[in-house]
Amino acid sequence: MARAMMTKILMSVVATMMLFQLALAVDHNVGRPDGGWDQSTNLGSWASGETFTVGDNLVFTYTSLHDVLEVTKDNYDSCTTSNPISTNGASPTTITLTDAGNRYFICGTAGHCDQGMKVNIQTVAAATPPPTSSSPPPPSDSPAPATPPVSTDTPPPNEDNAPPPFDENAPAPPVTSGGSPNNTGETTNPLPTPEPSSAATFKILNLVSMVGFGFLMML
Ligand SMILES: [Cu+2]
């Protein structure tokens, strides 16, 4: 039951975050709005004004005079159109930036790359999600409070009590004058109850905040 519910919550959190990612994905219309995928647009300048994040899309819109080749850096630099990584010839061409790093696109029409119809896309990683249960904090907390209970006054009961409890009040144990130590045994340990470790508390708080975050995300 509880496990199934946790699974359900986690799944909805993940799904929500994925939707969130999709909602944030940006379509970058290459060369727009001032130009396009053509020879007359300064595509380097256009690209430098954009921020490409993992999950974003490139959208190339062009006439039948052009196409879109994805190529290696070497072929990009030399405008070599043979052996492209991919060839796309049906405008519009949408390319999803699935990973951080550099990708290189050129036009395959003779001479167009040399005329500037090329663009280098530098994709950056998406922002990291908020740190939910990262490991670092707990260790710093736990060791410190471990010591306190040691040197505190030792509870007096056991041995001191033995002789005197010739109870003035209780008439009950009149058996022998020998004051059996067993009777007084009940008062023995007022041992301090073990404090809940702060590490455990921390974990619980973390869990609660995670679940709470999940619910927030679902709203
Ligand atoms: Cu072209």
Side-chain angles (χ1 to χ4, degrees), residues 139-204:
S140 60
D141 289 348
S142 48
T147 44
V150 177
S151 64
T152 56
D153 47 329
T154 55
N158 282 343
E159 297 163 0
D160 299 356
N161 285 357
F166 274 164
D167 33 88
E168 296 118 4
N169 324 344
V175 187
T176 58
S177 61
S180 65
N182 290 344
N183 288 347
T184 61
E186 296 175 359
T187 61
T188 43
N189 352 330
L191 284 180
T193 57
E195 312 175 354
S197 80
S198 57
T201 309
F202 191 84
K203 280 181 184 172
I204 291 171

Side-chain angles (χ1 to χ4, degrees), residues 37-39 65-67 106-113 117:
W37 185 234
D38 54 40
Q39 306 105 295
L65 293 176
H66 310 290
D67 62 8
I106 65 175
C107 180
T109 302
H112 285 193
C113 176
M117 200 170 169

